Amino acid sequence: MTDDAHTAPRGVGVVVVAAGSGARLGAQVPKAAVRLAGRTLLARAVERVLAVDGLSCLVLVVPAALAGPEHWDLGELPAHAAFVAGGAERTESVAAGLAAVGEDCDVVLVHDAARCLAPTEVFDRVVAAVRAGADGVVPGLPVVDTVKTVDADGFVTGTPERTTLRAVQTPQGFRREVLIAAHAGGKVATDDAALVERTGRRVLVVDGDPMAFKVTTRDDLERAERLVAGA
Ligand code: C5P
């Protein structure tokens, strides 16, 4: 083993973005503060993140007014956990969280608190694929519906071949410097992989998990409640 291998950072940083409003859920509180069978969505998500192999930095990106542990029933957090105020767009929230990730992390994962039931195994799978050499890694599932692209008037402009499509989830993982460079462009996207793709880097899709679905609507919350209850 070389000296470099001894000194190279080997930690995993996880940024959990939880600063969204939850308007589509119709909730009176930010979405991540909505309770799922008694515990907040953020607490459910964090519980699974804390078991990630090699976790050395946890950043929770929350609404500015709720930037402290007293607002969330998270239980005991590791000393490296930090709260950061989010921005108006998801991309801004991720950038704020990324700035708080320690340099001891060679891999950074970005996770939506709204995907509160994503199993720890998905995180470990994503980290392993980044460590195996990929610049960026996203969990994804095959698409069951036929997907159309449409123009502004609703007319179909194309039908992508279904076997080439994947519905992607979080956690999305990157080498730390790759994600920093992607966010330095100041562009906005609905996921972090899109920013990395725009820098010309290759992003690998690994197996996602049906449990990593995003709680967006009331129906999603009810589905999550049934799953937690084991129904
Ligand atoms: O709005 P959407 O469902 O795409 O949000 C995905 C995740 O990003 C959620 O966990 C949400 O809390 C987070 N988010 C954020 N800051 C925003 C918007 C969304 O942290 N400004």
Side-chain angles (χ1 to χ4, degrees), residues 17-20 24 31 87-90 93 112-114 214:
V17 283
R24 286 172 290 178
K31 181 160 70 177
E89 299 282 346
R90 182 186 181 281
S93 295
D112 293 334
K214 186 166 66 172

Side-chain angles (χ1 to χ4, degrees), residues 148-157:
K148 306 281 185 193
T149 55
V150 293
D151 64 18
D153 299 317
F155 287 100
V156 171
T157 55

Side-chain angles (χ1 to χ4, degrees), residues 154-209:
F155 287 100
V156 171
T157 55
T159 307
E161 168 59 40
R162 190 169 59 189
T163 55
T164 69
L165 298 173
R166 298 292 179 274
V168 306
Q169 307 173 320
T170 72
Q172 300 192 345
F174 309 90
R175 286 194 295 115
R176 183 170 181 273
E177 66 274 17
V178 166
L179 189 57
I180 289 173
H183 274 272
K187 297 269 176 6
V188 170
T190 53
D191 77 346
D192 298 283
L195 298 176
V196 169
E197 290 153 37
R198 285 181 207 159
T199 65
R201 300 278 188 173
R202 275 163 41 104
V203 175
L204 177 70
V205 181
V206 296
D207 286 346
D209 192 301

Side-chain angles (χ1 to χ4, degrees), residues 15-16 18-19 58-64 66-68 82-87 92-101:
V15 175
V16 181
L58 172 65
V59 181
L60 305 177
V61 185
V62 295
L66 302 177
F83 286 85
V84 168
E92 287 172 39
S93 295
V94 174
L98 182 57
V101 172

Side-chain angles (χ1 to χ4, degrees), residues 61-141:
V61 185
V62 295
L66 302 177
E70 65 278 15
H71 301 289
W72 312 88
D73 61 343
L74 295 167
E76 198 175 332
L77 288 175
H80 57 66
F83 286 85
V84 168
E89 299 282 346
R90 182 186 181 281
T91 308
E92 287 172 39
S93 295
V94 174
L98 182 57
V101 172
E103 284 180 12
D104 56 322
C105 296
D106 63 330
V107 177
V108 179
L109 268 52
V110 181
H111 185 49
D112 293 334
R115 298 182 190 274
C116 58
L117 300 182
T120 304
E121 295 77 60
V122 180
F123 292 77
D124 291 337
R125 192 182 301 150
V126 169
V127 172
V130 177
R131 289 257 161 79
D135 290 328
V137 178
V138 298
L141 295 174

